[in-house]
Amino acid sequence: MSLAEVDAPRSSERGLHSGFLRSADRFPERPALEVEGRAWSYAELRDRAAAIAATLQARTPEDGPPLTGVFAYRNATAFAGVLGTLMRGHGYVPLNRTFPIRRTQQMLESAGCRAIVADAESAGQLESILADRTDELLVLLPDEDDVTEIAARLPGHTVLGRRDLAPAGDWQPQPVDPAALAYVLFLSGRKGAPRGIMISHRSVEHYVTTLVARLGITEEDRFSQTSELTFDNSVFDMFVPWQQGACVCCPSAKTLIKPGRYISDSRLTVWFSVPSTAVFMQRFRMLKPGSYPTLRHSLFSCEALPVEVVEAWAAAAPNSTIDNFFGASEVTVDFVGYRWDPERSPRESEDAVLPVGFPLGELDVIVADEELREVAPGAEGEILVGGPQVSAGYLHDPEATAAAFAAPPGRSGRYYRTGFRARRPRSPAEPLVYLGPMRDQVQVLGEPVPLREVEAVLREESGTEAVAAVAWPVAATGAQGVVAFVGDEDADPDALRAALRERLHGQLVPRRVHALSELPVGEGGDFDRDALIRILEEPK
Amino acid sequence: MSQPTAQDVRAYVVTTLDEPLRAAGVDPAAIPDDFDLHKTGVIDSLGILELITGLEEQFGVEIDYEDLDPEELTIVGPFSRYVAERSRQAA
């Protein structure tokens, strides 16, 4: 494979799905996907996606909302739904049936989706999710032969099953505007409410083509699909392999907890996960030397990557390169990457954690002060990222967009203010070293958690102003959870936690709530998070 | 500490997870053998890590989980029996 193939000049004009379609033409019989114990060839998956796309073309108006929900979990419908939505010319909005109903409702409403592709099990939640909707939605259930029963429970909506889908041959390829949305992904914003991040075809194609070239992917490769579709590492898991005719191997959620045997049995060649998974495998003694000889590339992202974990992984996967990536959903998955070198890397690591490396592709990564001016070499500041991967902003939230995206003085274009601290490298040959989060934002198991927003909800639910949220415990890979405190001895921690679980999502939900008579106050007048962490660290 | 029986392991699991079990609307004293701690949302992967670390400290054994079927890892009965079996072999 040549680089010219990777960087086919027209690819950026044809959308995120164009790589898949090209692979389907080149390798119709090769496997595109393995899931639930079954392999799907490129031709099969394309046809399944084209039937969804053709149905959406026939049933959604050209001037309607350009986003369609994909409500499916680790099965063929999830992947065909993503591809079919893109082939319709819509961006996909990943939904997840393991999320609370209210969360899914808010995401659908915020995105303005008028169509949803759902699998059989997720469809069971639609009655509750759509209960209050007065507008008509189009619900595609490609797994269902008979939708009579479900349709009766969803009055006012159009429900179509497998037999109602248009034939795959009806799908008409349509031009894609590079600035159009490829997907919208939700993280937690104000008071924990879902906040959509808009990512265009242009942004994600820069990321995908950069990674394909970096790794030299071919049709022989077999990729792990570890990340949920609602987490943007999954963009790598799907579109990097599909670009080259490789296979996406999607284990069940259960298998993922302990994936060692799956790596061997599925003969994976590319592994991508959060570092916590590697720590977990090490703890389960699944990183014995020579365990995974089929792996060619191992990639980690979203958490600190400890040297010790890398060394164990390198021994377990002796034929594999190891890359540490770092990023933010606002700049399309990852913006810097670092290739492990057993000689050099331990020296370049700080506090036994790997550097995050060098900008991907054409991205401009700078370390800046509060006025967004680049700091002197060796000085500390906030990481700003500019270039093609920068998001168009937050959906329906111009205020938050204006606060997070700005043009630094003397530079053109919008840069994303990551809220991450780093030291500016002293020379271009020196890798970027991540120092930690700023502005009360922490990463918990890879998920950004705004502690202030957790506290805002805690204040409302507890009825007291004396509240604090801290990231704890903190392992070598980073924070493992959030713990909340209320300065009210009579508060009921269990009831408060239950109330928080209703309003917050994911890692924002505190793992524990402690009621104290009063909270320690620090020098600035704020509650002293460090003192609270010391309380947690005291032996019981 | 002597080698734990499957009953000991089960008792430890149920006691440790008392709060999340109750939060999930389950009576910790009456969970069936085939109860899946992961599927029911009682435990996530970090919780599993805490649980096995706690188990090893409690009973003073080191367990190799390589042969445990991932499907059974978070099912109370098979998990308890596996840990008991491995502790016996390790002793």
Side-chain angles (χ1 to χ4, degrees):
Chain A
M1 183 198 61
S2 69
L3 279 181
E5 261 177 69
V6 171
D7 295 316
R10 287 191 309 145
S11 70
S12 65
E13 304 302 319
R14 294 186 304 169
L16 177 56
H17 50 292
S18 64
F20 173 87
L21 293 173
R22 197 180 51 208
S23 294
D25 285 340
R26 290 173 68 198
F27 310 110
E29 301 306 322
R30 289 196 69 87
L33 172 68
E34 282 184 14
V35 66
E36 295 187 312
R38 196 205 137 160
W40 294 77
S41 71
Y42 270 90
E44 286 176 309
L45 187 58
R46 177 186 54 196
D47 286 353
R48 207 173 153 104
I52 291 169
T55 310
L56 290 172
Q57 272 177 333
R59 303 235 182 197
T60 56
E62 274 315 308
D63 58 357
L67 296 167
T68 286
V70 178
F71 195 26
Y73 193 75
R74 297 194 173 272
N75 53 31
T77 296
F79 299 97
V82 165
L83 285 166
T85 296
L86 291 167
M87 287 160 71
R88 162 64 183 91
H90 284 183
Y92 71 93
V93 178
L95 303 168
N96 190 325
R97 68 162 176 262
T98 68
F99 288 10
I101 301 270
R102 189 178 128 98
R103 182 82 178 179
T104 304
Q105 277 173 334
Q106 291 171 326
M107 287 159 66
L108 265 179
E109 270 165 41
S110 171
C113 294
R114 300 291 298 277
I116 304 177
V117 183
D119 65 19
E121 198 170 337
S122 304
Q125 292 185 359
L126 285 174
E127 188 178 1
S128 316
I129 290 166
L130 301 182
D132 299 329
R133 293 285 289 244
T134 50
D135 52 344
E136 185 187 339
L137 269 80
L138 173 66
V139 179
L140 303 190
L141 303 173
D143 295 346
E144 302 280 356
D145 281 329
D146 183 359
V147 296
T148 324
E149 201 187 312
I150 297 178
R153 286 190 276 120
L154 300 173
H157 303 293
T158 303
V159 181
L160 303 179
R162 191 201 315 260
R163 288 191 292 240
D164 309 314
L165 296 184
D170 283 6
W171 174 64
Q172 298 293 323
Q174 51 189 109
V176 175
D177 176 355
L181 296 182
Y183 61 85
V184 170
L185 192 105
F186 286 87
L187 290 175
S188 294
R190 240 166 253 124
K191 291 188 183 168
R195 173 187 281 163
I197 299 166
M198 301 185 282
I199 299 294
S200 68
H201 288 273
R202 182 188 289 130
S203 292
V204 68
E205 283 182 24
H206 177 270
Y207 170 73
V208 169
T209 51
T210 302
L211 268 290
V212 165
R214 179 185 181 105
L215 302 173
I217 299 306
T218 77
E219 70 273 17
E220 303 286 334
D221 280 306
R222 298 171 58 79
F223 280 59
S224 66
Q225 207 278 295
T226 70
S227 301
E228 305 295 348
L229 299 188
T230 38
F231 173 29
D232 65 355
N233 281 10
S234 64
V235 168
F236 174 94
D237 295 349
M238 294 187 279
F239 294 102
V240 172
W242 284 343
Q243 185 89 3
Q244 298 302 107
C247 184
V248 175
C249 301
C250 179
S252 70
K254 210 54 185 296
T255 301
L256 258 184
I257 297 176
K258 195 173 166 291
R261 200 172 291 169
Y262 185 82
I263 297 176
S264 313
D265 290 353
S266 299
R267 305 179 316 283
L268 298 185
T269 63
V270 181
W271 175 265
F272 183 31
S273 75
V274 291
S276 280
T277 305
V279 171
F280 201 76
M281 289 170 70
Q282 190 181 23
R283 187 68 188 72
F284 269 111
R285 303 191 177 83
M286 285 191 288
L287 295 187
K288 290 171 187 149
S291 295
Y292 310 116
T294 57
L295 289 178
R296 292 200 310 122
H297 295 293
S298 304
L299 294 73
F300 298 96
S301 166
C302 282
E303 293 176 287
L305 184 58
V307 171
E308 184 221 341
V309 175
V310 176
E311 287 175 339
W313 189 278
N319 304 316
S320 178
T321 64
I322 298 176
D323 276 335
N324 183 32
F325 289 96
F326 188 69
S329 300
E330 285 88 342
V331 273
T332 318
V333 196
D334 289 316
F335 56 79
V336 282
Y338 180 83
R339 175 68 51 93
W340 163 259
D341 178 293
E343 301 295 318
R344 195 185 65 246
S345 297
R347 262 186 289 129
E348 290 182 339
S349 299
E350 278 188 37
D351 296 330
V353 165
L354 259 63
V356 292
F358 304 94
L360 299 181
E362 299 163 22
L363 300 183
D364 186 29
V365 177
I366 61 173
V367 179
D369 63 16
E370 279 173 22
E371 270 80 52
L372 309 187
R373 291 177 200 282
E374 192 166 25
V375 298
E380 289 179 16
E382 180 179 6
I383 305 174
L384 309 187
V385 186
Q389 285 179 212
V390 176
S391 160
Y394 299 113
L395 195 63
H396 312 311
D397 200 340
E399 202 185 313
T401 301
F405 298 87
R411 284 184 146 79
S412 62
R414 296 158 62 258
Y415 279 62
Y416 174 59
R417 306 181 60 174
T418 61
F420 300 134
R421 277 188 311 119
R423 188 176 324 104
R424 181 179 169 191
R426 287 177 190 81
S427 78
E430 192 180 302
L432 190 71
V433 174
Y434 169 60
L435 297 174
M438 320 171 59
R439 294 200 291 260
D440 306 311
Q441 168 114 329
V442 296
Q443 300 270 124
V444 177
L445 298 170
E447 180 181 337
V449 173
L451 291 174
R452 294 264 175 213
E453 303 301 338
V454 175
E455 289 170 349
V457 175
L458 195 55
R459 217 168 278 133
E460 289 179 1
E461 292 297 332
S462 67
T464 167
E465 289 296 306
V467 302
V470 300
W472 196 84
V474 178
T477 47
Q480 308 274 291
V482 167
V483 175
F485 290 88
V486 291
D488 174 2
E489 263 183 323
D490 299 326
D492 176 353
D494 288 351
L496 258 180
R497 213 174 90 85
L500 293 170
R501 211 186 284 119
E502 290 292 308
R503 296 193 49 191
L504 297 171
H505 177 68
Q507 299 300 340
L508 276 72
V509 182
R511 285 174 180 268
R512 307 243 191 294
V513 176
H514 295 284
L516 307 178
S517 55
E518 57 180 353
L519 301 189
V521 177
E523 281 178 19
D526 277 350
F527 295 112
D528 186 345
R529 291 198 179 120
D530 293 340
L532 290 168
I533 287 172
R534 283 195 294 277
I535 293 176
L536 293 171
E537 282 167 349
E538 278 169 17
K540 281 170 199 152
Chain B
M1 171 107 197
S2 62
Q3 304 148 29
T5 64
Q7 280 306 322
D8 296 335
V9 178
R10 185 194 160 94
Y12 177 83
V13 170
V14 170
T15 313
T16 309
L17 299 176
D18 187 77
E19 192 251 314
L21 280 168
R22 286 179 199 282
V26 196
D27 176 5
I31 56 170
D33 206 49
D34 62 355
F35 187 81
D36 190 327
L37 297 163
H38 186 253
K39 217 168 226 169
T40 50
V42 169
I43 200 168
D44 58 9
S45 60
L46 182 66
I48 296 167
L49 204 57
E50 285 173 353
L51 186 69
I52 64 165
T53 306
L55 264 172
E56 296 192 349
E57 283 169 7
Q58 173 80 13
F59 297 111
V61 290
E62 286 204 353
I63 309 286
D64 188 333
Y65 290 91
E66 187 169 6
D67 295 329
L68 179 57
D69 183 339
E71 292 299 321
E72 297 193 331
L73 173 62
T74 55
I75 300 178
V76 173
F79 175 77
S80 303
R81 287 191 288 276
Y82 183 89
V83 173
E85 171 73 14
R86 284 294 156 140
S87 308
R88 214 167 22 249
Q89 287 172 8

